[in-house]
Amino acid sequence: MNKDITLSYLDTRGQIAPGELEEKIKASAGVLAAAVAGEEQYKDCLGWHNVDDWAGSERLDFLMEQASRVRADADALVVIGIGGSNQASRAAVKALRPKNGPAILWAGNTISAREMADTLSELDGYKSIYIDCIAKNFETLEPGIAFRVLRQYLEKRYGEAEAARRIFATGTPGSTLHQLCRDHGYTFLTFPGPVGGRYSIGTDVGLFPMAVAGIDIKAMVQGMRDMRDRLFTEKAEDNLALKYACLRSLLQEKGYRLEMLAFFEPRLDYFAKWFIQLFAESEGKEGKGLYPVCASNSEDLHSIGQFIQQGSPILFETFVEIRARDASVVMPKETKADYFQYLDGKDFWDINDIARKATMEAHSKGGIPCLNLSVPALDEHTLGEMFYFFLFSCYLACKLTGVNPFDQPGVEAYKGYMFKNLGKPGVN
């Protein structure tokens, strides 16, 4: 079986003319070469470029050692973070569903009083709790206030000395979070300065919570490394990421405004949220960019399916196909007349795959351009490949769009008003 990730394009109405994609790829070869070389203007943001910079063998051994300490004692780990600080690890835990590890809870990604109250109530049901606060510069409100509440919760339950042993914090060396760890004896993990939050999968940020959950982070990193090597050596005309970026660019030029990541495995729900943040925050600036959305099928076919099929022609779809069968539930025969006898003996896996193919066919014939990203399996190695593929593709896509892939100036706009109204010192 082919173990490579592949990309195909289905366009029954010819939105992209014959030869147009090939010409776009040829014209964009210089963009690929510059991205592979690592551009000087982005040198402070490319720490993710070489996987081994922050996920070499020694670092992985250290993270696994720390994770083993937690796994040996914990019933639950609370990961405190928002946006790029928790999206990748949450995506991996949801997709891979590791067993026999502590429960992983998520906090610091909302300011809702109800959510925090419910989290504290849920924690009362666990005997041994650890927390990991992830905050690059410890200036973002959501993780900051969640960390205060949760570390005080631990101190009340275990005492300050024992609570300190249970607290991890992941931040930039020299930050106020780093100083807090020094002052109170918390275990400090590194959020690398030259890696932005949404690009931080292959660092302590994403890998430590995954390791605590029981995910094989060495296989994950190897997948990232293998995809990097592939994308950095493939010629422009064969390059998977450049082909994807060019397809997106051409469709945007033709008036499409939304890209829908569509999949038939609910395990990819949080991977889709990671994808949405990556592209929205990287590409959506200067009045440019595709708006990323997702469809978790077949459920969403019964909610937004009508719009996709016959609504405003503003979107194209990128389907994710998983080739390897990793579960089997066969429809049993039934003597009662429930009118589904035509499915007797058929496997849920096959029914789901037929639904995916039928959806692509129907949407394509309805005029929607459809990309199909076919992956060999849903495991640590392949997920690592998928993470790196989208990271590098996003870099290329932003270059084609003409925006900085690594800043997010619009995100800061609301914070000024919020901090002013909250009375933060120095904010006018």
Side-chain angles (χ1 to χ4, degrees):
M1 184 181 70
N2 181 12
K3 294 184 179 181
D4 286 340
I5 294 177
T6 62
L7 179 68
S8 57
Y9 178 58
L10 184 61
D11 180 6
T12 58
R13 294 197 178 183
Q15 302 291 335
I16 296 177
E20 195 173 4
L21 175 60
E22 290 75 14
E23 286 299 316
K24 180 73 172 179
I25 290 173
K26 183 178 179 181
S28 304
V31 171
L32 173 64
V36 168
E39 299 168 278
E40 180 67 20
Q41 63 179 320
Y42 298 133
K43 66 179 182 180
D44 294 333
C45 304
L46 291 174
W48 59 275
H49 219 222
N50 182 7
V51 178
D52 289 324
D53 283 352
W54 300 101
S57 59
E58 288 187 10
R59 193 62 187 176
L60 291 179
D61 287 342
F62 169 77
L63 292 175
M64 291 170 65
E65 179 183 344
Q66 294 298 317
S68 294
R69 171 168 76 86
V70 178
R71 285 175 57 80
D73 182 51
D75 299 313
L77 170 73
V78 187
V79 180
I80 303 168
I82 193 167
S85 295
N86 74 352
Q87 294 280 31
S89 55
R90 187 166 61 158
V93 171
K94 172 72 173 180
L96 301 175
R97 298 180 179 177
K99 297 178 174 62
N100 303 320
I104 308 296
L105 283 65
W106 310 94
N109 53 356
T110 174
I111 316 173
S112 163
R114 180 74 269 164
E115 287 298 311
M116 178 53 75
D118 287 349
T119 297
L120 293 171
S121 178
E122 182 177 356
L123 289 177
D124 287 340
Y126 293 102
K127 181 179 179 181
S128 180
I129 302 160
Y130 287 68
I131 62 177
D132 175 24
C133 177
I134 308 170
K136 186 168 188 178
N137 296 313
F138 204 46
E139 297 173 351
T140 303
L141 182 72
E142 290 90 344
I145 61 178
F147 188 34
R148 178 186 291 189
V149 170
L150 288 166
R151 70 175 183 267
Q152 288 191 9
Y153 175 88
L154 292 191
E155 289 169 355
K156 290 177 181 177
R157 279 193 63 167
Y158 304 114
E160 286 196 24
E162 176 59 20
R165 191 182 70 83
R166 296 168 175 269
I167 295 174
F168 291 77
T170 308
T172 303
S175 65
T176 53
L177 183 59
H178 191 191
Q179 188 59 50
L180 195 64
C181 291
R182 287 173 170 171
D183 291 343
H184 301 285
Y186 311 148
T187 302
F188 182 76
L189 302 176
T190 301
F191 197 136
V195 181
R198 59 189 180 273
Y199 290 84
S200 63
I201 301 97
T203 72
D204 296 7
V205 175
L207 296 175
F208 176 68
M210 293 184 205
V212 173
I215 291 171
D216 183 349
I217 60 173
K218 288 191 173 181
M220 176 81 66
V221 169
Q222 187 60 49
M224 296 181 69
R225 187 182 294 114
D226 288 345
M227 179 56 71
R228 177 195 184 275
D229 291 346
R230 174 182 175 180
L231 298 178
F232 278 40
T233 56
E234 282 182 334
K235 296 179 180 179
E237 59 267 27
D238 302 318
N239 194 278
L240 188 73
L242 185 62
K243 180 181 180 180
Y244 176 57
C246 285
L247 281 167
R248 297 177 78 257
S249 180
L250 284 171
L251 290 168
Q252 187 173 1
E253 290 170 11
K254 296 178 186 299
Y256 291 94
R257 294 291 174 258
L258 284 76
E259 177 182 13
M260 175 172 285
L261 190 74
F263 45 91
F264 281 72
E265 276 295 342
R267 290 176 287 169
L268 291 174
D269 283 351
Y270 283 125
F271 184 88
K273 289 178 72 68
W274 172 83
F275 165 89
I276 288 169
Q277 185 200 358
L278 174 67
F279 279 92
E281 202 167 55
S282 300
E283 199 175 28
K285 55 199 73 161
E286 301 178 23
K288 302 176 183 178
L290 290 160
Y291 184 59
V293 295
C294 72
S296 182
N297 296 324
S298 62
E299 180 178 8
D300 284 348
L301 293 176
H302 298 265
S303 57
I304 57 176
Q306 172 62 38
F307 180 91
I308 297 170
Q309 189 74 52
Q310 295 181 322
S312 302
I314 58 175
L315 65 85
F316 65 91
E317 290 181 272
T318 298
F319 285 84
V320 178
E321 171 194 5
I322 301 167
R323 299 196 297 269
R325 184 189 305 264
D326 62 4
S328 177
V329 178
V330 176
M331 280 288 288
K333 291 184 177 181
E334 175 60 74
T335 57
K336 302 179 184 68
D338 64 2
Y339 306 101
F340 288 95
Q341 277 76 12
Y342 68 97
L343 295 175
D344 286 357
K346 288 186 170 61
D347 197 306
F348 266 62
W349 181 276
D350 297 313
I351 296 169
N352 194 42
D353 197 50
I354 289 169
R356 179 189 60 81
K357 292 174 181 175
T359 302
M360 281 190 65
E361 182 179 6
H363 290 182
S364 177
K365 288 183 176 178
I368 299 172
C370 295
L371 288 68
N372 189 57
L373 188 72
S374 180
V375 304
L378 195 52
D379 55 26
E380 283 94 340
H381 184 271
T382 304
L383 196 62
E385 289 184 296
M386 291 170 66
F387 276 133
Y388 200 91
F389 165 75
F390 281 115
L391 289 178
F392 194 68
S393 296
C394 184
Y395 183 7
L396 296 177
C398 290
K399 293 294 295 179
L400 294 177
T401 304
V403 298
N404 185 332
F406 305 112
D407 66 356
Q408 53 279 338
V411 175
E412 306 304 320
Y414 84 93
K415 292 182 181 179
Y417 295 107
M418 178 180 68
F419 287 139
K420 177 182 178 181
N421 292 331
L422 288 171
K424 183 177 180 179
V427 177
N428 298 315

